[in-house]
Amino acid sequence: MARKCVLMVEGRDDENVVKNICAQHKLGEIETIHPYEGKDALLEAIDVRLKESDVSALGIIVDADADVHARWQSISNRLTNAGYVHVPPNPLAEGTIVTPPTGSLLPKVGIWLMPDNQTSGILEDFIRLLIPEDGLLDHARESLDGIPVGQIRFPDTLKPKALVHTWLAWQEQPGRPFGVSIAAGYLDHNAPAATTFAGWLQRTFFL
């Protein structure tokens, strides 16, 4: 029985970013991508995915949110409990790859904590790293900072999301999704963050 590659992501935005990064870097296509519409559902499904005997490589992309170390611990504990013995104590900056024990049917596992495996944040913090230095990002940041306190309608934790979408609203075709913006060249797929991410995808699924 042929074994397959599976990627777990929080939602459609993550899925489309991955697909377009793969396309721009000519990596190939990941056979199965599961968007879970939230991190809680994704984390709960890891144990099940690890036990699927037809999976050769399992990728996990999830936001670090407020505490990258707590997020890493929640994933590494699941891997250790499943039988992995070479789980690093901290996520690697270039993305983590955990190999299964010798003779085991467990899959190779790749983990990427958005935005960069080292700092707290979300997908939009990663997208911000793909924005070219054109001056517009500073204007977008100033616009958000200039909103009167009583009129701010989003929590501070979602400010990165507001910033990125404000910048995208000022492009030639305003408000395009992240994946389309990568394909259109609004977001730089050769930015260092994107290149590092593409390298992790390659090592997880295409080597």
Side-chain angles (χ1 to χ4, degrees), residues 113-190:
L113 304 183
M114 287 291 177
D116 60 4
N117 301 296
Q118 302 296 293
T119 57
S120 301
I122 58 177
L123 171 65
E124 283 76 10
D125 290 298
F126 172 79
I127 295 298
R128 188 184 69 235
L129 299 174
L130 276 55
I131 292 178
E133 295 290 339
D134 59 4
L136 277 182
L137 185 62
D138 289 336
H139 288 299
R141 190 176 287 110
E142 290 169 3
S143 294
L144 293 181
D145 290 341
I147 300 174
V149 174
Q151 296 180 25
I152 298 175
R153 299 178 180 177
F154 52 86
D156 196 57
T157 54
L158 294 183
K159 192 171 183 178
K161 188 184 292 282
L163 176 64
V164 167
H165 283 284
T166 298
W167 183 85
L168 285 172
W170 294 347
Q171 302 310 303
E172 183 177 354
Q173 295 187 38
R176 304 189 84 178
F178 298 152
V180 176
S181 295
I182 293 171
Y186 298 159
L187 298 169
D188 183 7
H189 69 270
N190 285 319

Side-chain angles (χ1 to χ4, degrees), residues 72-126:
W72 174 253
Q73 202 63 52
S74 69
I75 295 173
S76 62
N77 286 346
R78 286 174 165 84
L79 297 181
T80 301
N81 291 338
Y84 292 85
V85 295
H86 298 298
V87 183
N90 296 294
L92 305 182
E94 66 271 21
T96 306
I97 307 290
V98 180
T99 56
T102 302
S104 168
L105 290 178
L106 290 167
K108 173 175 68 173
V109 179
I111 305 107
W112 184 279
L113 304 183
M114 287 291 177
D116 60 4
N117 301 296
Q118 302 296 293
T119 57
S120 301
I122 58 177
L123 171 65
E124 283 76 10
D125 290 298
F126 172 79

Side-chain angles (χ1 to χ4, degrees), residues 11-119:
R12 296 291 180 185
D13 280 341
D14 306 79
E15 177 182 3
N16 290 326
V17 166
V18 169
K19 286 180 175 179
N20 281 277
I21 291 288
C22 284
Q24 295 299 322
H25 285 264
K26 297 179 171 55
L27 299 180
E29 295 185 6
I30 300 169
E31 294 160 272
T32 304
I33 302 180
H34 289 291
Y36 284 87
E37 307 309 327
K39 66 183 61 63
D40 291 339
L42 183 154
L43 292 171
E44 291 175 5
I46 290 175
D47 294 342
V48 174
R49 294 293 173 198
L50 291 174
K51 295 175 182 177
E52 293 179 331
S53 60
D54 62 340
V55 177
S56 60
L58 178 68
I60 301 168
I61 298 175
V62 65
D63 291 346
D65 287 328
D67 190 337
V68 63
H69 299 294
R71 179 71 70 236
W72 174 253
Q73 202 63 52
S74 69
I75 295 173
S76 62
N77 286 346
R78 286 174 165 84
L79 297 181
T80 301
N81 291 338
Y84 292 85
V85 295
H86 298 298
V87 183
N90 296 294
L92 305 182
E94 66 271 21
T96 306
I97 307 290
V98 180
T99 56
T102 302
S104 168
L105 290 178
L106 290 167
K108 173 175 68 173
V109 179
I111 305 107
W112 184 279
L113 304 183
M114 287 291 177
D116 60 4
N117 301 296
Q118 302 296 293
T119 57

